[in-house]
Amino acid sequence: MTYRETLTYLYSLGRFGMKPGLERITAILAALGRPQERISIVQVAGTNGKGSTAAFLAAIGTAAGLRTGLFSSPHLTSFTERFRVDSKEIEPERVVKLAAHVMAVAPPEATFFEIVTAMAFQYFAEERVDLAIMETGMGGRWDATNAACGILSIITSIGLDHCQYLGDTVAAIAGEKAGIIKPGRPVVTARQEPEAWQVIEERCRELTSPLYCSGDRFTAAWEAEGLAYRGLGVTLTGLCPGIGGRYQAENAGCALAAAELLLKSGFPITGEAMRGGIADARWPGRMELFPGRPPILLDGAHNPAGATALAESLADFRRQRLIMVLGVMCDKELSGILSPLLPLVDLVLAITPNLERAMPAAELANACTARGAAATAAGSVAEGLAQARAAAGPADLILVCGSLFTVGEARSLLTNSAYEPFRG
């Protein structure tokens, strides 16, 4: 098969949806010779910040001279974003070979994410990475990445999202995320709501897994000269994170604490590598600014906690007016996304991303208008961007947010790159 034919087949597996259980991915990995056992793995789960945290830690590993793999999902514009070694994306030709290898041993009922996760484990084993950072897809307990026994787990901020799959309380969702904790292996966690903290702490106690919590065992906070990290044994000041947004302090802190624990377990990660990795990290579509007159800011903000974090970070952006190009999925908690953002916005251009479960632009515009905002249905992402540019003055700021699908489609337009809309 060609690369495009391979992607078409992989994307078609999305029709099988999600199926709880690790038996299928375990069988695939066994047939492949258990590649996950040949690499040292750090697992990252959470509702918000897991991708940025994984990117920070991967960049630290690379800065330390470690051959470092990063597996992430969903992709913004290209399938190859999901597999990186030392920040370089996999080649399309390699995708074809890996997919054929994995699909040859996979059961017919295997899901898209199980196939892709197996490809990642196989790829990193073939590349002989020193360290692999594996971001979970949605939950944790039954996520395909959890078929591996990681040497360290990171749990980023937990909130309400994907409630139809993970549970409708923070405690229930925390229980799913805490499923990545392994017996006796250390756990780094961001600051959590009390309900989530209780679940994580209890799980660590059950498994005798050492727990390192932000705000207790380590801190990361903004100071006049930049980000200051005071950790388990390392103190770094004047840090300049390569991923924008004030909320990245917590994510960078978790990555630095994880790096310290890796150092204690024998990985040669120096303070300078930590500093360099934080500065070198990139995570497209998260507080990503495209300069211009007017500038355009991209951020996912696809759930209430993400929208709140974005609203706080907007204080750092000088502008005359804020014009928001907004696209949201139908299964998201719309009120929680709109509440922190609408008071800051002068005009909302509601759009419909190129995805079946996207909320129609007219429906979204009506929801914004009902909350007192000036809003209009702008059609597609391309049309929304065009209207925003036409309406904005040089001192205004255009914000594109509401979904990673919205951001991915917008980013492909801004960078003149191809867009692959399927996510898994």
Side-chain angles (χ1 to χ4, degrees), residues 170-204:
V170 170
I173 294 173
E176 294 301 315
K177 307 293 185 183
I180 70 169
I181 297 172
K182 300 300 187 294
R185 302 294 172 87
V187 179
V188 172
T189 179
R191 298 171 195 260
Q192 304 288 356
E193 294 184 29
E195 308 96 298
W197 167 252
Q198 184 177 355
V199 170
I200 295 170
E201 186 180 36
E202 182 177 338
R203 184 64 174 163
C204 286

Side-chain angles (χ1 to χ4, degrees), residues 56 59-61 63-64 225-229 234-243 252 255-256 259-260 269-282:
F56 276 127
I60 290 171
E225 66 274 19
L227 184 66
Y229 170 75
V234 173
T235 296
L236 298 168
T237 60
L239 296 171
C240 299
I243 307 174
L256 288 164
E260 284 200 75
I269 301 176
T270 64
E272 281 309 301
M274 296 179 194
R275 180 182 297 278
I278 292 297
D280 292 342
R282 298 291 183 270

Side-chain angles (χ1 to χ4, degrees), residues 127-170:
E127 288 295 304
R128 300 179 183 273
V129 299
D130 301 304
L131 186 66
I133 317 300
M134 303 289 295
E135 179 193 354
T136 62
M138 182 184 298
R141 185 197 313 271
W142 302 121
D143 192 87
T145 61
N146 207 31
C149 186
I151 60 173
L152 167 68
S153 299
I154 304 174
I155 301 177
T156 63
S157 176
I158 295 174
L160 295 175
D161 201 7
H162 301 297
C163 295
Q164 66 272 44
Y165 302 110
L166 304 178
D168 56 7
T169 66
V170 170

